[in-house]
Amino acid sequence: MFKEFKINIVLIGFMGSGKTSIAQSLSKLLNRSWIEMDDLVYQKTNTRNMHEVFKKGGELLLRETEIEISKEYAVKNDLIISTGGGVVLNKIVLDYFKQKGGRIIFLQAQFTTIVKRLKGDESRPLFTSLKDFKKLYSFRLPLYVNYADEIINVDFKSVDEIALGVVGQVQNF
Ligand code: S3P
């Protein structure tokens, strides 16, 4: 049904933009495996969640492990990769994926959408005060735009609709 393409599809975007759900949907649509970078971070650091990662080695441990993972997984060419929202902080992470032909898709959500989705969520150490969160969002927005090969707006759309949009963009490339 879909044209064959041998590249990694790398989803980037702020926390709560839907990277995980869309990666799962893409994985079903394209019959490909997907990976969740945060889960690989837990495996590699011998932790169970992000709070434990931060407790063990601070944000630095997370960022260093993300670099390690991207280097390892960029060489594969048939994965859907759901990144952590902060991968844009280290240029090398997305450079590794790009160098090997990975297509970087930015799932862009409005700040209000993100806050609505993350309301009551306590799993993310960087989701603290709304003011700081907004600052982080504004700081990162141009980074996502800059690294993206494609930008998909995700506000008011269903997961499957977005996944189909991603496939369309990747196939038309
Ligand atoms: C982070 C995003 C999280 C996770 C960690 C830090 C960030 O992943 O990697 O809490 O810096 O934006 P999600 O984007 O999947 O929530």
Side-chain angles (χ1 to χ4, degrees):
M1 174 173 155
F2 294 115
K3 208 164 70 186
E4 273 292 305
F5 49 89
K6 280 275 178 198
I7 49 161
N8 285 329
I9 299 177
V10 184
L11 303 179
I12 64 170
F14 205 65
M15 293 167 252
S17 57
K19 300 179 295 285
T20 304
S21 332
I22 293 158
Q24 281 171 312
S25 173
L26 278 171
S27 154
K28 274 197 212 127
L29 265 179
L30 299 171
N31 196 22
R32 284 174 172 219
S33 306
W34 69 282
I35 60 162
E36 174 71 46
M37 277 183 73
D38 283 351
D39 288 342
L40 296 172
V41 169
Y42 307 146
Q43 277 175 30
K44 285 193 181 285
T45 57
N46 208 11
T47 54
R48 288 168 302 178
N49 55 53
M50 211 38 86
H51 290 290
E52 283 189 10
V53 176
F54 274 58
K55 203 167 161 203
K56 194 166 186 177
E59 190 174 346
L60 188 63
L61 176 62
L62 166 63
R63 302 306 171 206
E64 283 177 349
T65 314
E66 284 175 332
I67 294 174
E68 195 186 318
I69 293 166
S70 59
K71 190 173 182 185
E72 196 176 320
Y73 283 83
V75 293
K76 305 182 193 283
N77 63 6
D78 56 356
L79 291 175
I80 316 291
I81 297 162
S82 169
T83 62
V87 291
V88 286
L89 298 177
N90 279 309
K91 185 173 178 292
I92 189 109
V93 172
L94 294 176
D95 280 352
Y96 277 135
F97 286 121
K98 279 193 182 207
Q99 263 173 23
K100 302 288 174 192
R103 207 83 190 119
I104 315 291
I105 314 283
F106 170 32
L107 303 177
Q108 180 165 25
Q110 288 172 10
F111 186 69
T112 47
T113 305
I114 282 167
V115 170
K116 241 185 254 162
R117 286 188 189 165
L118 295 186
K119 199 164 174 228
D121 184 296
E122 291 183 352
S123 66
R124 293 167 171 90
L126 297 177
F127 183 34
T128 49
S129 79
L130 218 52
K131 195 172 155 226
D132 288 348
F133 206 53
K134 173 80 188 175
K135 256 197 226 157
L136 197 63
Y137 176 90
S138 307
F139 170 73
R140 286 192 187 165
L141 190 57
L143 300 177
Y144 294 123
V145 172
N146 182 48
Y147 286 118
D149 294 310
E150 310 286 352
I151 300 177
I152 299 213
N153 191 279
V154 298
D155 297 298
F156 318 113
K157 287 187 194 151
S158 73
V159 168
D160 291 339
E161 200 180 334
I162 298 161
L164 278 172
V166 173
V167 175
Q169 296 219 350
V170 173
Q171 288 201 317
N172 286 332
F173 172 62

